[in-house]
């Protein structure tokens, strides 16, 4: 049977705090798919207040399914073509 659990699990993250903001200042968050490699992808985040960069961040994720051999574990699999088409 086909595994039912599909997800994009976080396997790494980093952030560089450049400047501060105070509530309720408006901020903008830009997120891009920066890298795609088989079973993994990297999202880059930039948080700004106007033209001022506040935070630069990155997260690495894998596309995963429930491991058929052990449902308590996950198994990295190729990113579905439907998602890849949206990211191109």
């Amino acid at each position: 049977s086909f595994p039912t659990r599909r997800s994009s699990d976080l396997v790494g993250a980093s952030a560089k705090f450049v400047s501060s903001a105070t509530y309720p200042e408006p901020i903008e968050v830009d997120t891009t798919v920066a890298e795609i490699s088989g079973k993994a992808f990297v999202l880059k985040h930039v948080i700004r207040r106007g033209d001022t960069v506040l935070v630069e961040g990155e997260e690495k994720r894998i596309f995963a399914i429930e491991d058929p051999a052990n449902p308590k574990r996950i198994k990295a699999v190729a990113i579905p073509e439907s998602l890849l088409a949206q990211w191109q």
Side-chain angles (χ1 to χ4, degrees):
S1 81
F2 189 76
T4 57
R5 181 184 184 277
R6 288 178 163 221
S7 61
S8 60
D9 292 57
L10 183 67
V11 295
S14 65
K16 178 181 174 187
F17 296 90
V18 179
S19 189
S20 62
T22 305
Y23 181 81
E25 291 178 312
I27 60 172
E28 181 179 308
V29 180
D30 293 318
T31 299
T32 57
V33 178
E35 184 181 324
I36 302 169
S37 59
K39 301 175 183 180
F41 59 98
V42 175
L43 298 175
K44 296 242 183 206
H45 309 287
V46 178
I47 301 172
R48 292 182 179 86
R49 179 187 56 242
D51 292 336
T52 303
V53 173
L54 304 174
V55 180
E56 296 173 319
E58 180 177 294
E59 57 185 281
K60 183 171 186 178
R61 293 183 169 269
I62 60 166
F63 197 81
I65 61 170
E66 184 178 281
D67 187 336
N70 182 351
K72 293 183 179 181
R73 300 186 60 84
I74 60 172
K75 178 180 178 180
V77 294
I79 299 169
E81 289 295 325
S82 60
L83 284 179
L84 291 174
Q86 292 176 32
W87 293 342
Q88 302 293 323

